[in-house]
Amino acid sequence: MALLDRIRKEWFIIGIVLVISFAKLEPSVGVRGGPLKPEITVTYFAVSAIFFNSGLSLKTEELTSALMHVKLHLFVQTFTLAFFPVAIWLFLKLLALTAINEWLLKGLQTVGCMPPPVSSAVILTKAVGGNEAAAIFNSAFGSFLGIVVTPVLLLIFLGSSSSVPFSSIFSQLFMTVVVPLIVGQVCRRFVKDWLERRKPPFGAISSAVLLIIIYTTFCDTFSNPNIHLDRLSLLLVVFIIFSIQLGFMLLAFIFSSRKKSAFTPADTVAIIFCATHKSLTLGIPMLNIVFEGFEHLSLISVPLLIYHPAQILLGSILVPTIKSWMVTRQRAAQLTKLQPV
């Protein structure tokens, strides 16, 4: 039973391993022009399904409660969509001198360009007891903002390596990302009560569709004889990703916990997770649009695929430590207020 519970809990991570394995065994099924026709089914239907699902699940009515905390929102969005990608770009200047696969390094840059995820940062903030409303707002707002900002950042730092012109990329993004998201939000207004009662598994649906996208992406990789990935590069990238995640969490903590920052301990908790987590659900579809038809797309996607479980694993491990710090700071603040002047 314990094993089954573990499988149910980690089914998505297991699914990533399985679909990559299947792609390795029989890449012809999901390759472009193959039986699955990913150039149509994935590029249009799968991506649109993910963002329609996001639009349907985003509780925009909950965001108003956190709307006025402008300083916190500005900090999170600036950190994750400006400081993060620039810092990664500078760091990669050093890593470029090493023997690490260049496409994996480019993939690290794409991680920096991604918006915050809709779910994981909120779940971990809630687990610690932090400012959940702020986490919900920044995750949702960051997702909306990322629709415009992330493709721009990708084109600034990497350039579009496909033959698709800038205008075509954004027209496709509009049709497969913005329109489904808006339609999902409109539909939510009509079925809000039913959604609240039944609570459909939005996260599981998006993750299942995401597995299809990952599968077809790696089918293209394994069917291309010119692409090789050495294990040393992969191991180094895993180590670098965990180091980056820890490093940015520490920076977010230091910047937001200073007395001059005016953030509460609960605010700091939300900042730590929202400013450092990156969205796989939004990221993979966007990479497929911006780098459509590019032979190294799967290698560029690898760091994001690693970063996703890394942020959940590290976040879960650090929950007790962060919670202990937050409770201690809150008690100290209460004692200070009770002391006579």
Side-chain angles (χ1 to χ4, degrees):
M1 288 297 291
L3 179 61
L4 286 174
D5 289 340
R6 191 68 182 175
I7 291 172
R8 288 193 193 100
K9 189 177 180 181
E10 307 293 347
W11 71 271
F12 181 63
I13 305 300
I14 295 168
I16 289 176
V17 175
L18 288 175
V19 296
I20 292 175
S21 300
F22 289 146
K24 176 69 173 175
L25 291 171
E26 195 57 57
S28 60
V29 176
V31 77
R32 286 178 172 274
L36 288 182
K37 300 290 183 187
E39 63 273 20
I40 298 172
T41 56
V42 169
T43 302
Y44 296 100
F45 296 110
V47 174
S48 296
I50 283 177
F51 286 96
F52 172 77
N53 190 52
S54 294
L56 203 59
S57 63
L58 281 173
K59 298 179 180 179
T60 45
E61 61 273 12
E62 289 185 0
L63 306 183
T64 53
S65 62
L67 188 62
M68 300 310 293
H69 207 334
V70 177
K71 186 178 179 181
L72 188 150
H73 309 324
L74 189 63
F75 181 96
V76 170
Q77 300 307 325
T78 302
F79 190 100
T80 194
L81 292 173
F83 176 75
F84 203 123
V86 171
I88 290 291
W89 179 75
L90 292 171
F91 182 49
L92 290 180
K93 292 294 183 183
L94 294 174
L95 291 179
L97 302 174
T98 68
I100 299 174
N101 185 290
E102 65 170 310
W103 301 109
L104 289 179
L105 293 181
K106 289 180 184 293
L108 284 172
Q109 183 66 69
T110 68
V111 170
C113 298
M114 293 302 151
V118 175
S119 58
S120 64
V122 176
I123 292 167
L124 290 168
T125 300
K126 186 175 182 179
V128 173
N131 190 338
E132 188 182 356
I136 291 171
F137 179 90
N138 279 285
S139 293
F141 180 66
S143 297
F144 283 116
L145 198 61
I147 291 170
V148 176
V149 176
T150 293
V152 172
L153 289 173
L154 289 172
L155 291 166
I156 288 172
F157 287 107
L158 297 172
S160 176
S161 298
S162 67
S163 58
V164 183
F166 190 85
S167 58
S168 294
I169 290 172
F170 277 90
S171 63
Q172 189 176 346
L173 275 170
F174 182 78
M175 293 305 298
T176 59
V177 175
V178 179
V179 171
L181 200 66
I182 293 172
V183 171
Q185 281 283 283
V186 171
C187 290
R188 180 178 173 80
R189 293 192 175 192
F190 295 100
V191 294
K192 179 185 169 184
D193 293 336
W194 180 85
L195 292 173
E196 292 296 326
R197 286 197 313 271
R198 300 303 296 269
K199 299 187 184 303
F202 291 115
I205 293 168
S206 288
S207 295
V209 177
L210 198 59
L211 288 176
I212 298 171
I213 297 175
I214 293 168
Y215 170 70
T216 56
T217 299
F218 277 86
C219 280
D220 279 334
T221 298
F222 294 130
S223 64
N224 189 334
N226 298 320
I227 295 178
H228 301 284
L229 176 59
D230 60 286
R231 292 180 183 179
L232 179 60
S233 286
L234 188 59
L235 287 172
L236 286 171
V237 166
V238 171
F239 174 76
I240 290 166
I241 284 171
F242 274 90
S243 301
I244 286 172
Q245 175 72 7
L246 278 171
F248 278 104
M249 288 180 79
L250 183 61
L251 284 173
F253 171 77
I254 292 169
F255 291 152
S256 63
S257 61
R258 293 178 305 159
K259 289 183 180 180
K260 292 182 179 180
S261 69
F263 294 128
T264 66
D267 291 340
T268 296
V269 172
I271 288 169
I272 288 171
F273 293 121
C274 291
T276 61
H277 280 213
K278 295 294 184 175
S279 178
L280 181 70
T281 307
L282 303 180
I284 292 294
M286 283 187 180
L287 289 178
N288 273 267
I289 292 170
V290 176
F291 298 101
E292 183 185 12
F294 185 52
E295 64 176 3
H296 291 98
L297 172 60
S298 61
L299 294 186
I300 290 176
S301 306
V302 165
L304 186 57
L305 292 173
I306 297 170
Y307 196 92
H308 174 76
Q311 66 190 10
I312 295 171
L313 177 62
L314 284 173
S316 300
I317 291 170
L318 291 171
V319 161
T321 304
I322 297 172
K323 188 171 186 176
S324 176
W325 170 84
M326 185 189 74
V327 171
T328 302
R329 286 290 293 267
Q330 287 174 333
R331 285 176 181 170
Q334 287 175 350
L335 287 172
T336 303
K337 287 180 181 178
L338 291 172
Q339 287 177 354
V341 180

